[in-house]
């Protein structure tokens, strides 16, 4: 089944403890992206990648890192999480440009930082 | 700059009645527009997309949307609501290859 897989689905952590949210897609998509969803704000893009080793900042990149060493994987790294990063996170992928084709989204990771 | 505004944060309808979710966009060129749906505790699913072909776009589950350039609108409609349509809906505009999301409209369906 074609899908975007995120792990974990739920995560509670403490301030300052480094964490990684994994994302993998099995559709051989070029584009991948991370979004965070907060009530009343819709989805905001954190980082995106147009291909292996090519990443760029989205609208809210502060406090996050990403890497794209393989086409299928696009992990999101929080080096020192803070409570304002408590949010619902979505990974997404697209075959040839989300502007034309839209994204396929993962099921989300609900992160709580205490 | 591109932007999208969903005019209602919450819409409530009775089962079997029409659904109208309103979306206005701002774009300096011919945009690509999308509607996504998010059911509780689920990811986002693409309902339909407009990419400069027919102005009336049909999507999944009986939804459709009409692109009106003169009104800069892309409203989502469905003739008859079903209980399973209760969800949050996002209008999205493409800008420079990026997707810009509206704030979402929560649709409630009463029996």
């Amino acid at each position: 089944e074609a899908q975007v897989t995120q792990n974990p689905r739920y995560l509670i952590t403490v301030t300052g403890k480094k964490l990684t949210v994994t994302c993998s897609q099995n559709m051989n998509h070029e584009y991948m992206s991370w979004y965070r969803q907060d009530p009343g704000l819709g989805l905001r893009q954190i980082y995106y990648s147009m291909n292996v080793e090519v990443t760029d900042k989205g609208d809210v990149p502060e406090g996050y890192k990403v890497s794209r060493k393989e086409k299928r994987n696009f992990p999101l790294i929080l080096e020192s999480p803070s409570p304002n990063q408590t949010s619902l996170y979505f990974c997404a992928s697209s075959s040839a440009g989300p502007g034309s084709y839209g994204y396929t989204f993962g099921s989300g990771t609900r992160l709580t930082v205490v | 700059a591109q932007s999208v505004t969903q005019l209602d944060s919450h819409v409530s309808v009775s089962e079997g009645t029409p659904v109208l979710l309103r979306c206005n966009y701002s774009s300096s060129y011919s945009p690509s527009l999308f509607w996504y749906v998010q059911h509780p505790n689920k990811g986002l699913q693409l309902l339909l997309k407009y990419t400069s072909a027919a102005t009336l776009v049909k999507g999944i589950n009986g939804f459709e949307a009409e692109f009106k350039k003169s009104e800069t609108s892309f409203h989502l409609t469905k003739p008859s609501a079903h209980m399973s349509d209760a969800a949050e809906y996002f209008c999205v505009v493409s800008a420079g290859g990026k997707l810009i999301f509206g704030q979402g409209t929560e649709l409630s369906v009463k029996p």
Side-chain angles (χ1 to χ4, degrees):
Chain A
E1 180 188 354
Q3 60 185 356
V4 177
T5 302
Q6 295 178 232
N7 280 297
R9 289 292 309 275
Y10 302 91
L11 178 60
I12 301 175
T13 190
V14 296
T15 300
K17 185 176 181 182
K18 180 179 179 180
L19 66 91
T20 300
V21 183
T22 64
C23 174
S24 180
Q25 50 93 5
N26 62 0
M27 296 167 282
N28 201 37
H29 283 173
E30 305 282 341
Y31 285 77
M32 296 187 75
S33 185
W34 277 101
Y35 285 87
R36 61 177 289 173
Q37 182 180 17
D38 301 290
L41 296 177
L43 275 78
R44 294 177 292 167
Q45 192 177 48
I46 302 170
Y47 269 95
Y48 64 98
S49 169
M50 292 179 285
N51 213 327
V52 175
E53 302 292 3
V54 181
T55 63
D56 207 350
K57 296 177 180 179
D59 299 315
V60 288
E62 293 78 20
Y64 304 94
K65 287 176 57 177
V66 294
S67 68
R68 187 94 181 270
K69 292 182 170 49
E70 306 166 275
K71 196 172 188 178
R72 62 181 292 126
N73 295 324
F74 191 45
L76 179 69
I77 303 158
L78 285 71
E79 295 270 3
S80 182
S82 62
N84 66 9
Q85 293 178 297
T86 292
S87 187
L88 179 58
Y89 291 86
F90 288 101
C91 181
S93 71
S94 180
S95 57
S100 296
Y101 296 92
Y103 273 119
T104 300
F105 282 85
S107 297
T109 296
R110 186 168 292 280
L111 172 66
T112 302
V113 184
V114 298
Chain B
Q2 284 71 35
S3 66
V4 61
T5 302
Q6 292 183 241
L7 299 171
D8 306 291
S9 59
H10 187 261
V11 170
S12 182
V13 301
S14 296
E15 190 173 22
T17 64
V19 175
L20 170 64
L21 304 183
R22 300 182 295 164
C23 173
N24 286 350
Y25 70 91
S26 172
S27 178
S28 54
Y29 47 86
S30 183
S32 294
L33 293 157
F34 307 82
W35 276 98
Y36 280 85
V37 60
Q38 183 181 27
H39 287 94
N41 299 314
K42 300 282 189 183
L44 283 85
Q45 180 184 21
L46 181 64
L47 268 182
L48 50 81
K49 62 182 179 183
Y50 166 78
T51 53
S52 74
T55 56
L56 183 61
V57 182
K58 294 188 183 300
I60 61 173
N61 300 334
F63 284 94
E64 61 182 38
E66 186 172 8
F67 174 71
K68 291 187 176 180
K69 187 175 181 179
S70 61
E71 299 176 10
T72 61
S73 69
F74 190 57
H75 301 335
L76 181 71
T77 61
K78 183 174 180 178
S80 176
H82 191 274
M83 294 297 293
S84 61
D85 294 328
E88 188 154 22
Y89 293 79
F90 292 94
C91 183
V92 183
V93 64
S94 168
K98 291 174 53 175
L99 298 189
I100 297 173
F101 285 75
Q103 294 180 338
T105 298
E106 184 175 353
L107 176 65
S108 300
V109 182
K110 298 175 290 188

